[in-house]
Amino acid sequence: FIFFFFFYFFLYVFYFFFFIFFFFFYFFLYVFYFFFFIFFFFFFQAEDGIRDAQESRGLGDVYKRQEMERYTVKTKSALARHTGWLLAGLQQYPKLHQTLNFMLRPSAKLSTSDVIKLHGLYKEQPPPPIKFIQRSDVLQLLLGQLFEAGKNFAAEHVGKVIFIVATATCVPQDGSDLGNQELRIAEVTDAIEQARVACSRNTVGAEEIKGVVSTLRPLVAAWPVVGSGVIQWIASKLHAPGFLVSSSARLNTQAYLSLIGTVMTKHPLQWPSVLELLRGCLDLKPPRKDKEAGGDLQNTHAVHSFMSAWHKQILDMILQLLRLGHVLPVLASITEWAAAGADAELHRYMIVKLFEVVEPPYSSVFAGCMIKFIRNKGRGLTDEIKPLVVEFLQACEEHAFEGQVKEDQVALYEACSI
């Protein structure tokens, strides 16, 4: 009896301390994960948005975006969005919290009631903090409603959407420069309305397209928010069914490239959006049943020739973006494009164009990205390209590459018969 008594006594004591140990172990583990998550997403801030590099001219003097917001926009994670709002203090404004949460829910369309509620909240005195509608996901949703082709929003409420966008892009987060807010909002409102009307025109003839471009170019150059809206408009037009085989495709695409060039040169903070648009253009292909589309491009050979020439123009625009300073993101984007099965002719075309621009000395990061792009899973190199690759590899010998980059470097040497 005494033996069993002490045996079960110590057994239960052991179980007790065993339970306590694992309870505190997992408790501190989850606490560690929580603070690691907070540190990772909220202590690393980055510029992201549609603000001019110098004077704001309609987008406010403070347009900072935290890494959490970038993660939320990229992944559309509801958990990340709610966590960001919680730490920003949005729960102190229940009506605004409910409205924004409903607007940004997955697969949601901006409704008239959302706009009316949001407009009413920011017409109040005092309004909620402006930072909540300065988020890029909120602004992109509102700009898409104004500029994207095919969006049919109630005409009587378009002014409310423009007011919200103008307010978000003009008023600084710290509330400074209050005296000029009304004037700036009026200027941005007028610019957005002019651009929206121009984008809504049905451009078929050369004169019509020229008129739209002449209207949009100065607005895009002066106002970053208009540039962001025009980028969304161009993306929606290019992805419209049958556009690439329409009779006006050649004229329209040249006009779009002209406007994209203006955004690139005037608003450096919009380079990521421009690069995303150009990268998407490289994946565009005409529908197989092009004979049903009509127009002067319905011949298959003509369509292929047009698309090949246009894709080369897109690559030239991407190269211009690299020249302007958006180097590593451009290399990462075109490497992804090449690895996804890019046309071999276009891939070689881009290699030649890159070697016309770059020159030593090369950083190890840049050299590694270039080697990865050129290698592109063993694509053949022409006699025209091999001397350029050899010269480049010799200039990179000072760097000690490892892993996949080293394998690509060796493979390129072998491909060039060195």
Side-chain angles (χ1 to χ4, degrees):
F1 174 78
I2 294 176
F3 171 75
F4 282 106
F5 173 77
F6 282 102
F7 174 78
Y8 283 109
F9 174 76
F10 286 112
L11 184 64
Y12 286 128
V13 169
F14 172 76
Y15 284 149
F16 174 76
F17 284 105
F18 184 80
F19 172 78
I20 294 296
F21 171 77
F22 277 96
F23 172 81
F24 282 101
F25 174 78
Y26 283 107
F27 173 78
F28 286 112
L29 185 64
Y30 285 125
V31 169
F32 170 78
Y33 283 150
F34 173 77
F35 282 104
F36 178 80
F37 177 82
I38 298 300
F39 177 81
F40 182 79
F41 284 110
F42 290 94
F43 284 75
F44 293 98
Q45 294 188 349
E47 287 283 352
D48 176 32
I50 45 180
R51 180 172 62 87
D52 199 324
Q54 299 176 0
E55 185 182 359
S56 66
R57 294 200 304 247
L59 283 183
D61 301 318
V62 180
Y63 201 172
K64 296 256 185 187
R65 288 292 173 263
Q66 295 183 336
E67 192 65 24
M68 171 64 83
E69 182 183 336
R70 297 171 62 89
Y71 176 81
T72 303
V73 174
K74 182 178 180 180
T75 64
K76 298 182 180 179
S77 169
L79 176 61
R81 184 173 67 249
H82 287 306
T83 305
W85 283 343
L86 180 66
L87 294 182
L90 182 59
Q91 70 276 10
Q92 300 176 23
Y93 307 91
K95 293 182 179 179
L96 181 60
H97 190 182
Q98 182 183 16
T99 302
L100 291 178
N101 186 46
F102 195 76
M103 285 173 52
L104 297 175
R105 69 194 188 280
S107 303
K109 294 182 179 180
L110 187 65
S111 66
T112 303
S113 60
D114 295 333
V115 172
I116 293 174
K117 291 177 183 178
L118 200 60
H119 178 263
L121 289 170
Y122 281 93
K123 274 290 189 179
E124 293 178 352
Q125 293 298 330
I130 201 69
K131 62 182 180 181
F132 296 122
I133 57 172
Q134 287 181 333
R135 292 173 54 99
S136 59
D137 48 359
V138 175
L139 283 175
Q140 295 300 330
L141 177 64
L142 296 171
L143 286 171
Q145 197 66 46
L146 293 173
F147 285 92
E148 287 182 15
K151 291 291 182 71
N152 297 317
F153 200 71
E156 62 270 22
H157 299 299
V158 168
K160 294 182 176 66
V161 179
I162 296 177
F163 169 80
I164 297 168
V165 172
T167 301
T169 55
C170 288
V171 181
Q173 287 188 11
D174 59 4
S176 61
D177 197 22
L178 296 176
N180 296 327
Q181 285 185 18
E182 292 185 2
L183 177 61
R184 294 167 67 187
I185 290 175
E187 292 176 346
V188 175
T189 299
D190 182 62
I192 294 175
E193 178 60 22
Q194 289 184 54
R196 188 189 70 84
V197 172
C199 291
S200 64
R201 297 176 190 167
N202 184 22
T203 54
V204 178
E207 291 301 321
E208 294 173 336
I209 296 172
K210 184 177 179 181
V212 169
V213 172
S214 62
T215 300
L216 289 177
R217 182 177 286 117
L219 296 173
V220 168
W223 306 100
V225 65
V226 175
S228 183
V230 168
I231 290 294
Q232 292 201 45
W233 169 66
I234 292 173
S236 65
K237 296 290 285 186
L238 290 174
H239 288 84
F243 170 78
L244 293 175
V245 291
S246 65
S247 59
S248 59
R250 286 192 180 94
L251 293 174
N252 278 302
T253 50
Q254 296 308 308
Y256 297 157
L257 292 178
S258 173
L259 292 171
I260 292 172
T262 302
V263 176
M264 287 168 50
T265 55
K266 295 295 184 179
H267 311 301
L269 290 180
Q270 293 200 39
W271 287 348
S273 299
V274 172
L275 179 59
E276 182 180 358
L277 172 62
L278 295 174
R279 170 66 180 85
C281 290
L282 293 175
D283 294 331
L284 287 176
K285 296 180 181 179
R288 293 181 179 179
K289 296 181 180 181
D290 53 345
K291 63 181 181 179
E292 299 176 1
D296 60 358
L297 291 180
Q298 53 183 313
N299 180 268
T300 304
H301 179 71
V303 173
H304 177 76
S305 300
F306 162 68
M307 292 299 298
S308 178
W310 186 56
H311 280 154
K312 288 181 179 179
Q313 288 181 307
I314 295 297
L315 291 175
D316 290 338
M317 294 289 290
I318 293 176
L319 195 65
Q320 182 182 350
L321 200 56
L322 182 140
R323 284 195 185 103
L324 290 172
H326 204 48
V327 179
L328 294 181
V330 165
L331 287 177
S333 181
I334 60 176
T335 301
E336 178 188 349
W337 160 72
D343 180 78
E345 179 186 353
L346 292 176
H347 178 245
R348 291 191 291 267
Y349 174 83
M350 192 59 173
I351 292 176
V352 173
K353 288 294 184 180
L354 280 171
F355 282 127
E356 291 177 359
V357 175
V358 302
E359 58 182 19
Y362 307 113
S363 69
S364 59
V365 177
F366 174 83
C369 291
M370 280 286 291
I371 290 173
K372 187 175 181 181
F373 171 68
I374 297 169
R375 177 72 175 93
N376 190 26
K377 296 185 178 180
R379 288 186 182 272
L381 300 176
T382 62
D383 293 336
E384 176 191 10
I385 297 177
K386 286 182 180 180
L388 302 175
V389 175
V390 171
E391 183 180 354
F392 172 74
L393 292 174
Q394 290 174 345
C396 297
E397 288 182 350
E398 61 180 278
H399 302 300
F401 298 113
E402 297 179 354
Q404 185 61 46
V405 177
K406 180 63 176 179
E407 294 178 10
D408 291 339
Q409 184 184 29
V410 173
L412 285 178
Y413 271 116
E414 294 175 352
C416 296
S417 301
I418 296 180

